[in-house]
Amino acid sequence: MEQALRALRRGAARVVLGAGGHGPTRDVCPPWGCRPLGAGPGPSPGAQLPAAASQGAAEAGGDARGSPRTRVGPDPRSRRGAEGCEWGPRGAAGAGQEGWRWPGGDVPKARRRLEGLPVERTRGSEILFGVAPCAIALSQSRRDLFRLFLKEGAGARRLVTSEFVLQATARGVPVHRVRRRELDALCRGRVHQGVCLEASPLRFKSLEEAEEPELGGEEGPNRQLVWLVLEQIQDPMNLGALLRSAYFLGVDRVVTSQRDSCPLTPTVSKASSGAMEVFDVYSTDDLRSFLKAKAAEGWEVVGTVSKPEDVENVPVISCSEFRWNKPIIIVIGNEGDGLSLETQRLCHRMLAIPPGRALHPGIESLNVSVATGILLHSICSQKLRQ
């Protein structure tokens, strides 16, 4: 303790630059002590710090003219905390909350402002970020909502901030004004637009929960339904873009394979511009049995391919030639390998997007979310015309 205190007074504790390879990541446990993992309760919240500790922190804090100051305690951008500090969730298994824990619970507000400590999270929660995902999540009742964090001094975004406050107040969600670096720490440096929302996660729905569509209803056996099936889409940005396009273009249902697929994360919600907050996404652990069952019910299963010459024993046509006359399932393969051979064999036809020029080797395909948007527009526009 004496050595740490002397280091603070000399200003020798180096600034933690955070994870990501931008510099040293030496975290200093403050001289007044961190509560070790599994230790009992510390002093009561708001208890006075030892005078020596307060003096050491003040000396490390710099002057009022904004001179550089040494950070005391773990940096919010670093996943690694000081040894013996509760820093989770990975560094404190079972703790259930993310952030550096003050002995005894809550960090005094003045001390938190001085040190920029990350905010503790409710057990099992996640942090949504960005204007659209947070606003839509607040307007829906699909998540449990815990706290709304807004950047203090919003400036040009004052009107948007006021609307957030009204929405949160109506839902009984506490609102906290914080600095930008605290928002950066909450969403791990992603683009938050001055807004973060602590909420419970969204999960995939099982197909057993889904209501089966009535194919023989008033619109007859040729009722136009389109489902989008995703096989092992792994990139959250791609999944979010796919959901946004599917929602916009009128897809009736999205189903994804459970194995090797991206979950519904805050990054997916941000990439979908909030569409994930209003659009149910289903999953299945047996994609091939699901496709076989739908084909037996009269659905047409249509696969997608970037290179027609790679497909065997399944007819390939241009998406512009496809005519939609029965319920269809469009199956999209993953970013690297496309559809698996087993899934291709279950398709009645394969769709391809013809290029507009001779393509240079190595750039002969489209991003999966872009290609899906083109295919969906080509097919769903037939529904609009009819």
Side-chain angles (χ1 to χ4, degrees):
M1 181 182 297
E2 292 179 358
Q3 291 178 350
L5 185 56
R6 284 198 299 271
L8 286 173
R9 289 174 176 170
R10 290 195 308 266
R14 290 176 288 177
V15 177
V16 178
L17 297 180
H22 300 295
T25 56
R26 176 184 172 190
D27 294 333
V28 178
C29 189
W32 47 89
C34 298
R35 177 151 56 96
L37 294 177
S44 61
Q48 293 296 319
L49 296 175
S54 300
Q55 179 183 353
E59 290 178 15
D63 58 25
R65 294 187 298 274
S67 61
R69 63 185 183 183
T70 301
R71 183 180 302 281
V72 180
D75 184 84
R77 294 166 295 181
S78 174
R79 292 190 180 184
R80 184 177 66 87
E83 185 176 355
C85 297
E86 294 195 18
W87 176 253
R90 291 189 180 120
Q97 294 180 327
E98 184 169 343
W100 185 43
R101 294 189 181 181
W102 191 264
D106 295 336
V107 180
K109 293 182 179 178
R111 183 66 60 186
R112 186 179 291 278
R113 285 196 299 268
L114 171 67
E115 298 168 3
L117 299 180
V119 179
E120 294 185 3
R121 285 206 332 229
T122 304
R123 182 183 297 273
S125 70
E126 65 184 17
I127 299 295
L128 288 176
F129 56 92
V131 171
C134 294
I136 298 174
L138 277 169
S139 69
Q140 303 297 305
S141 301
R142 303 179 69 200
R143 296 177 182 261
D144 294 327
L145 306 178
F146 304 113
R147 287 176 292 181
L148 176 68
F149 299 93
L150 300 174
K151 180 185 173 185
E152 59 186 18
R157 291 183 174 270
R158 189 161 299 170
L159 180 59
V160 174
T161 300
S162 300
E163 292 174 354
F164 269 109
V165 172
L166 289 175
Q167 278 188 301
T169 302
R171 292 288 305 271
V173 180
V175 179
H176 300 267
R177 305 268 185 172
V178 297
R179 291 170 298 179
R180 175 167 183 158
R181 68 176 182 178
E182 292 171 302
L183 290 173
D184 291 341
L186 280 169
C187 66
R188 300 189 183 277
R190 298 180 179 92
V191 181
H192 50 68
Q193 300 172 293
V195 186
C196 288
L197 177 65
E198 183 185 15
S200 61
L202 283 181
R203 309 292 185 192
F204 291 116
K205 290 194 170 185
S206 67
L207 288 171
E208 288 73 19
E209 302 176 58
E211 296 181 2
E212 288 299 320
E214 296 291 338
L215 300 184
E218 60 182 12
E219 299 180 29
N222 294 333
R223 181 183 176 190
Q224 287 184 306
L225 288 173
V226 56
W227 287 10
L228 182 66
V229 171
L230 309 176
E231 184 182 39
Q232 298 181 359
I233 296 296
Q234 298 174 347
D235 188 292
M237 300 296 290
N238 282 334
L239 179 57
L242 285 164
L243 294 179
R244 185 175 185 177
S245 296
Y247 178 76
F248 182 86
L249 292 170
V251 170
D252 296 287
R253 185 171 298 172
V254 175
V255 181
T256 183
S257 58
Q258 283 185 3
R259 183 183 177 188
D260 295 330
S261 294
C262 176
L264 298 177
T265 65
T267 300
V268 175
S269 185
K270 182 67 165 64
S272 75
S273 195
M276 190 185 92
E277 303 300 321
V278 296
F279 198 30
D280 288 333
V281 184
Y282 296 84
S283 71
T284 176
D285 58 359
D286 192 348
L287 184 61
R288 295 177 184 89
S289 294
F290 165 74
L291 294 176
K292 289 178 181 178
K294 301 311 290 184
E297 294 173 9
W299 290 65
E300 182 171 12
V301 180
V302 178
T304 53
V305 63
S306 59
K307 297 180 179 180
E309 60 271 17
D310 293 343
V311 180
E312 298 180 2
N313 303 321
V314 180
V316 180
I317 64 171
S318 166
C319 61
S320 60
E321 299 173 2
F322 180 78
R323 293 296 173 262
W324 183 12
N325 54 19
K326 62 168 64 175
I328 62 170
I329 290 176
I330 304 173
V331 192
I332 306 295
N334 79 351
E335 297 90 341
D337 302 322
L339 289 179
S340 64
L341 184 60
E342 294 81 0
T343 301
Q344 287 184 29
R345 291 170 177 164
L346 297 175
C347 296
H348 299 111
R349 286 186 280 181
M350 301 288 284
L351 299 183
I353 301 173
R357 57 155 49 93
L359 300 176
H360 191 282
I363 46 175
E364 302 159 310
S365 63
L366 292 168
N367 171 272
V368 64
S369 63
V370 174
T372 302
I374 295 172
L375 292 168
L376 288 177
H377 181 265
S378 176
I379 293 171
C380 293
S381 60
Q382 298 180 33
K383 183 177 183 179
L384 295 176
R385 287 195 296 267
Q386 294 181 15

